[in-house]
Amino acid sequence: MKKHHIFGRAVEGELDVAAVMADARERREALAALPIDAILHVLERVGQAWADPAYPPRRRALAELPAKLGFSPTMVDL
C-alpha cells in the first residue's frame, strides 16, 4: 500500500488529489491571514532549535542523512 506524507501527516492508499488541493488552498488562505510578525517569530524559534547541536531532530538528521544523501557529515552539518 502506498504511503504519502501530506501536510505533516502520513496517508496510506490512493490520494484524492482534489481533496489535497482544496486542503492546500485552505492552508494557504489561513497562512496569508497570519501577521508577518507571527510567522517570523515561528521561523526564528525553528532556526534557534535547529542551530542547537543537542536538538534531537538535528542529531537524528546528522546521523541519518549522510548515508541517505551521499553527503559527508560535515556537508550535512553545514
Side-chain angles (χ1 to χ4, degrees):
M1 181 167 281
K2 290 184 179 182
K3 187 174 190 178
H4 308 277
H5 295 274
I6 307 295
F7 303 118
R9 67 182 190 279
V11 177
E12 292 192 19
E14 294 301 315
L15 288 179
D16 178 350
V17 175
V20 171
M21 294 305 295
D23 190 15
R25 281 189 289 278
E26 289 176 16
R27 290 169 181 270
R28 180 184 63 202
E29 291 168 7
L31 184 60
L34 286 175
I36 191 72
D37 288 345
I39 296 169
L40 292 174
H41 178 70
V42 169
L43 292 174
E44 178 184 23
R45 288 181 26 220
V46 169
Q48 288 173 346
W50 278 91
D52 178 359
Y55 183 53
R58 178 191 169 116
R59 293 176 62 145
R60 182 175 174 198
L62 290 174
E64 295 179 15
L65 288 178
K68 291 182 180 189
L69 299 176
F71 292 162
S72 70
T74 301
M75 179 61 109
V76 171
D77 188 39
L78 290 172

